[in-house]
Amino acid sequence: MKAHPTWLTAGGALALVGLALALPQARAQRDLFVMEPDTAQAELDRATRESWLAEQRAARFAEAAEASTQAAERTAQEAAALAARIQQAEAEIAAARARFSIAQSAREALAARLAQRREPLVRLTGALQTSARRPLALAALQPGSLEDLVHVRAVLETAVPEIRRRTASLRAEIEQGRKLERRASRAIGALEQSERDLEQRRADLAALETRQRLAGREARRNAVREEERALALAEEARDLDGLIDRLDEAAALRRELAALEGPVPRPASLVRGTRAPASEPAEPAASPSPAATGPPRDFRLPVQGRTIAGFGERRESGLASTGITLVPAPGAQVVAPAGGRIAFAGPYRGFGRIVIIEHDGGWTSLVTGLARADVPVGARVIAGSPLGTAENEDPAITVELRREGEPVNPLEHLN
């Protein structure tokens, strides 16, 4: 009975389909949201790019820390490097989630295709297995024409090549399903590793910030006075624009005071008791350099995430947006968009915790929506210095860039 192996092979197709539909679900291991394939691919591209950029920033900060001879500068560079490593881990987590989502969507599409092919295979396999259990001699004793039996067997024999072809196709698709399962498992492994890296880097940054606070007690006492003055301005300001205007006025006053000439030294001739030489014409005051009036150097977005509101877009209130709003991961690391002086750091009505940074040349940046602000007022920060973290629920970080109080598009000045 050479037909039996053929029927069993064809019947095994049904078992193969059942195996494919019963492949283990990686999503059951991790409660991960599956995005639409196009959205997941866009998220993967964004996260991959941001991970690479964060890694490059971390390497530059680490090199600068090693080359620095001043303890304060070295510590600032180390903190910026750790913040960049945190953002790198956050981006790698987002990339791993996107890879899992892509693999999961492909697996679900494969399962749907196999489910459509399952019903006809069930009927065909049942008929073949029934025929295989009826020997030809016994079938000849059943009522009906022997010609009918021969015709049925001939039809079945012609179906066997098609059954084999479909079985081979099913095997290929099931192997593809196994590959997708392995891809999803690797994505989960990368996700778990990135999460461990993130926790370790956050712990390292917290330890470094603790050492900074212990080493800067005197600076902290000065910062308290700065914070009190900033809070007083915040109470007097009518709104956020008013607060920025008041801070700009204070910054302009500090610049004017810094630009005043110091005490004129006594001529050397008077000190020696000799006659003073003829006076020489005073040198003209140096004009501001382009770096002093241009936008902040190395300006960047303070957090990684998806943009939900661009500069100039209409908000629900009908007013145009004066900045860029990003949706980062919950608790994401927020960094200084550029170097400067912290003019304000703390809660402000309707905006959560905010940080305002004064830059050279009359430029100011504003970061709102923080859950925690870790910088004291009056402190100097470098581009990439840690400012705080985003909210854990419904995070949204907005960054604004202003020139003499007037909002400008931050995207036009990104480096």
Side-chain angles (χ1 to χ4, degrees):
M1 300 296 295
K2 296 181 180 180
H4 285 261
T6 301
W7 308 142
L8 292 176
T9 301
L14 181 60
L16 290 174
V17 176
L19 174 61
L21 295 176
L23 284 173
Q25 296 290 319
R27 186 167 40 170
Q29 304 170 18
R30 295 286 305 239
D31 186 15
L32 297 175
F33 175 71
V34 176
M35 298 172 277
E36 293 294 328
D38 292 344
T39 302
Q41 186 60 52
E43 179 70 4
L44 176 60
D45 295 340
R46 179 194 66 81
T48 302
R49 181 179 64 257
E50 290 182 347
S51 173
W52 182 82
L53 291 173
E55 184 178 12
Q56 299 301 309
R57 290 198 302 271
R60 290 197 302 270
F61 288 135
E63 290 178 0
E66 291 182 1
S68 178
T69 57
Q70 297 182 356
E73 176 66 18
R74 182 168 59 253
T75 301
Q77 296 288 349
E78 290 174 351
L82 282 172
R85 291 294 184 191
I86 289 173
Q87 290 189 327
Q88 178 188 355
E90 291 170 349
E92 289 172 351
I93 288 174
R97 290 178 180 272
R99 290 191 185 96
F100 172 84
S101 185
I102 292 171
Q104 186 68 10
S105 295
R107 292 175 66 251
E108 290 176 354
L110 174 61
R113 291 198 306 271
L114 293 175
Q116 291 177 351
R117 300 174 64 177
R118 182 178 186 178
E119 187 60 29
L121 281 173
V122 168
R123 294 195 300 269
L124 179 58
T125 302
L128 291 175
Q129 289 178 338
T130 299
S131 176
R133 289 194 296 267
R134 297 177 59 192
L136 182 60
L138 181 60
L141 301 177
Q142 299 294 325
S145 170
L146 186 59
E147 291 181 2
D148 291 340
L149 178 62
V150 172
H151 178 69
V152 170
R153 294 301 293 267
V155 170
L156 291 175
E157 288 292 345
T158 58
V160 168
E162 178 65 17
I163 294 168
R164 287 173 174 166
R165 186 185 67 80
R166 292 190 180 187
T167 301
S169 174
L170 281 173
R171 290 183 183 276
E173 288 195 325
I174 291 168
E175 179 57 30
Q176 177 65 18
R178 292 194 180 101
K179 290 180 180 178
L180 292 171
E181 176 66 25
R182 291 192 293 270
R183 188 181 304 173
S185 297
R186 287 196 298 271
I188 288 178
L191 172 62
E192 293 173 345
Q193 180 60 49
S194 296
E195 288 175 340
R196 288 192 292 269
D197 292 343
L198 178 59
E199 291 303 316
Q200 181 59 50
R201 290 166 183 172
R202 282 176 173 169
D204 293 342
L205 180 57
L208 180 59
E209 290 174 341
T210 299
R211 293 198 300 272
Q212 283 180 307
R213 284 193 293 270
L214 293 176
R217 290 176 179 174
E218 179 62 30
R220 180 59 187 167
R221 283 193 289 269
N222 295 333
V224 169
R225 292 191 291 271
E226 293 274 3
E227 288 175 0
E228 290 174 351
R229 285 194 289 268
L231 289 174
L233 290 176
E235 290 296 327
E236 296 173 3
R238 298 185 308 274
D239 52 26
L240 188 56
D241 287 340
L243 173 60
I244 294 176
D245 290 341
R246 297 294 299 274
L247 292 172
D248 283 344
E249 292 172 2
L253 178 58
R254 281 195 301 273
R255 289 195 296 271
E256 290 176 5
L257 293 175
L260 292 178
E261 295 182 358
V264 179
R266 297 177 64 189
S269 59
L270 296 181
V271 175
R272 293 191 300 268
T274 60
R275 185 178 178 180
S279 61
E280 297 180 358
E283 295 183 1
S287 59
S289 65
T293 57
R297 296 179 56 190
D298 299 329
F299 187 82
R300 69 195 63 181
L301 295 178
V303 73
Q304 300 175 144
R306 177 172 51 90
T307 302
I308 60 170
F311 181 80
E313 291 186 12
R314 292 292 172 183
R315 295 177 289 192
E316 294 181 358
S317 62
L319 300 175
S321 172
T322 54
I324 304 294
T325 301
L326 304 166
V327 176
Q333 180 68 54
V334 183
V335 301
R341 174 186 177 276
I342 302 297
F344 185 90
Y348 192 78
R349 48 185 179 270
F351 292 90
R353 283 177 171 78
I354 70 173
V355 174
I356 300 176
I357 307 175
E358 297 171 354
H359 311 291
D360 293 336
W363 292 81
T364 304
S365 61
L366 166 68
V367 182
T368 69
L370 286 83
R372 193 182 75 241
D374 300 329
V375 286
V377 174
R380 301 291 303 186
V381 295
I382 63 174
S385 290
L387 294 182
T389 58
E391 295 282 358
N392 286 318
E393 294 184 5
D394 299 326
I397 297 294
T398 298
V399 57
E400 296 184 12
L401 180 63
R402 302 193 179 205
R403 173 71 168 93
E404 300 293 350
E406 292 297 322
V408 297
N409 189 350
L411 297 182
E412 295 178 357
H413 303 288
L414 288 180
N415 289 319

